[in-house]
Amino acid sequence: MTALSDITQIDFRSVRDVEGFASLIFASANGMGMFLPQNMPVHHKLSDLKNTAKIWVTEVERSIDSLSAGDALIVIGCFDAVHRVAFNRAAKEEYLNQYKLNAFEAYIHGDSSVDQYMLQRSISQEIRHRNSAFLDRPLQWESLCIDCWYGQFKYGRCIDRISDYDTIQRVTSLLDADLWAFETRNETRFKQSLFVNHRHYFDEAGEMDTKTLLALDRFLCSSIKYLTQTELPSDRASADPLYAYEESIYRFILSRPETNRYLKASIQVRVEGNAHVTTCVYSS
């Protein structure tokens, strides 16, 4: 069984291992009570976990410059969370900015290693935090993404033929975005319609690969306010919609042969600890 001690076996040039192990660290920290109020008891193995997180941070700092811009963006997307586990403080903003902005420049110059959805989420987060490094060209690009995707889904469903993966990612981004400029007072109703028109993907999880299932997990996180008992199949009517869909998504991720072993271990930790869906699987 995969354990935190496996940190010594990780090839830090393998982005899926680095990302998967970050997810395992975060899930373990959550399971050990690290994010509980300070007056709550914490797990006796928390010190070992923090040491493991420190090793992860150190090894990432040594190896990240050897990665492609896209892989570096994936790793830096995990970096701050693991840094907080290791050192009880955020990573330096300038350090994070460097790799996010590198990925942005690489993407707009045609680097296919950069995932457009991860880049959009990363830039959107920095814009919400009013990070001045992202309030010029990155802001313009992110706004164009939302404008384009809104145009595709303005009637509740995509007007273009795109993959399920792209559909789920774009609907999720729209649910997370500020759409007041497009919908004004109708924004909540529009987002409710988006959710209703795409909730069928939860019932089709068994047909998805790991990449699409992880996108579906993010969709679930963004859909929490729109979930009701009526969103469940009739045989699950007494269940909590959050846990019912989460359970299904996790089960299929764990069953996929292509799922990274450390990501599987992080999900197993979450399942055993009954972690809530509001802390989604930490993976791109």
Side-chain angles (χ1 to χ4, degrees):
M1 183 175 178
T2 302
L4 288 166
S5 59
D6 287 0
I7 185 77
T8 58
Q9 302 174 26
I10 290 182
D11 177 0
F12 278 84
R13 296 166 298 181
S14 169
V15 66
R16 293 305 169 196
D17 277 2
V18 174
E19 179 189 36
F21 208 90
S23 182
L24 177 58
I25 289 172
F26 189 79
S28 299
N30 190 49
M32 291 181 188
M34 186 170 183
F35 307 119
L36 293 173
Q38 292 186 358
N39 62 337
M40 297 291 288
V42 295
H43 199 280
H44 67 282
K45 291 187 177 180
L46 187 56
S47 177
D48 291 341
L49 173 63
K50 291 174 73 67
N51 288 335
T52 298
K54 289 175 183 177
I55 294 172
W56 186 97
V57 168
T58 299
E59 293 299 328
V60 163
E61 290 174 337
R62 289 175 179 169
S63 62
I64 192 169
D65 289 330
S66 69
L67 302 177
S68 69
D71 285 353
L73 179 64
I74 291 171
V75 171
I76 213 66
C78 313
F79 190 88
D80 185 57
V82 179
H83 194 280
R84 289 172 187 268
V85 172
F87 302 105
N88 294 322
R89 64 177 185 275
K92 291 183 179 179
E93 184 178 85
E94 296 80 5
Y95 184 77
L96 304 177
N97 286 353
Q98 173 187 345
Y99 295 99
K100 294 176 182 180
L101 292 171
N102 283 349
F104 170 71
E105 294 296 336
Y107 180 81
I108 65 173
H109 287 95
D111 188 337
S112 60
S113 76
V114 181
D115 181 272
Q116 65 173 321
Y117 301 115
M118 183 160 198
L119 181 62
Q120 184 271 329
R121 286 195 303 274
S122 178
I123 291 176
S124 177
Q125 181 181 53
E126 297 304 329
I127 292 168
R128 288 196 299 273
H129 293 162
R130 307 301 299 172
N131 185 335
S132 61
F134 293 83
L135 298 182
D136 188 8
R137 291 167 60 244
L139 169 59
Q140 295 172 10
W141 175 82
E142 197 273 343
S143 298
L144 285 173
C145 288
I146 296 301
D147 184 64
C148 175
W149 298 339
Y150 172 78
Q152 288 182 309
F153 289 88
K154 66 185 299 182
Y155 302 112
R157 291 185 174 86
C158 190
I159 60 175
D160 300 315
R161 186 181 295 275
I162 60 177
S163 69
D164 290 341
Y165 173 77
D166 287 320
T167 297
I168 293 169
Q169 290 279 27
R170 294 178 190 190
V171 168
T172 302
S173 292
L174 290 172
L175 290 176
D176 291 339
D178 181 352
L179 301 181
W180 176 263
F182 302 104
E183 291 288 336
T184 61
R185 292 181 177 85
N186 192 53
E187 180 178 6
T188 299
R189 188 179 304 171
F190 171 74
K191 290 183 176 182
Q192 178 72 50
S193 175
L194 268 184
F195 169 74
V196 170
N197 289 337
H198 297 90
R199 65 146 304 282
H200 63 88
Y201 283 116
F202 294 129
D203 303 322
E204 299 166 9
E207 304 169 12
M208 297 177 181
D209 60 13
T210 298
K211 179 180 178 180
T212 308
L213 285 165
L214 290 170
L216 187 65
D217 183 58
R218 284 188 292 274
F219 176 51
L220 178 59
C221 290
S222 299
S223 302
I224 288 173
K225 67 170 68 175
Y226 308 111
L227 281 167
T228 66
Q229 294 299 124
T230 61
E231 306 304 330
L232 286 169
S234 59
D235 64 341
R236 301 298 300 276
S238 63
D240 182 330
L242 296 177
Y243 290 108
Y245 287 137
E246 179 186 51
E247 179 185 81
S248 174
I249 293 169
Y250 284 2
R251 182 172 69 253
F252 289 121
I253 291 175
L254 290 171
S255 73
R256 298 295 183 262
E258 73 270 19
T259 302
N260 179 269
R261 60 175 175 156
Y262 298 120
L263 177 57
K264 286 185 177 181
S266 75
I267 291 174
Q268 289 165 344
V269 168
R270 288 168 56 83
V271 170
E272 292 168 3
N274 295 314
H276 198 276
V277 70
T278 51
T279 54
C280 298
V281 174
Y282 207 89
S283 180
S284 63

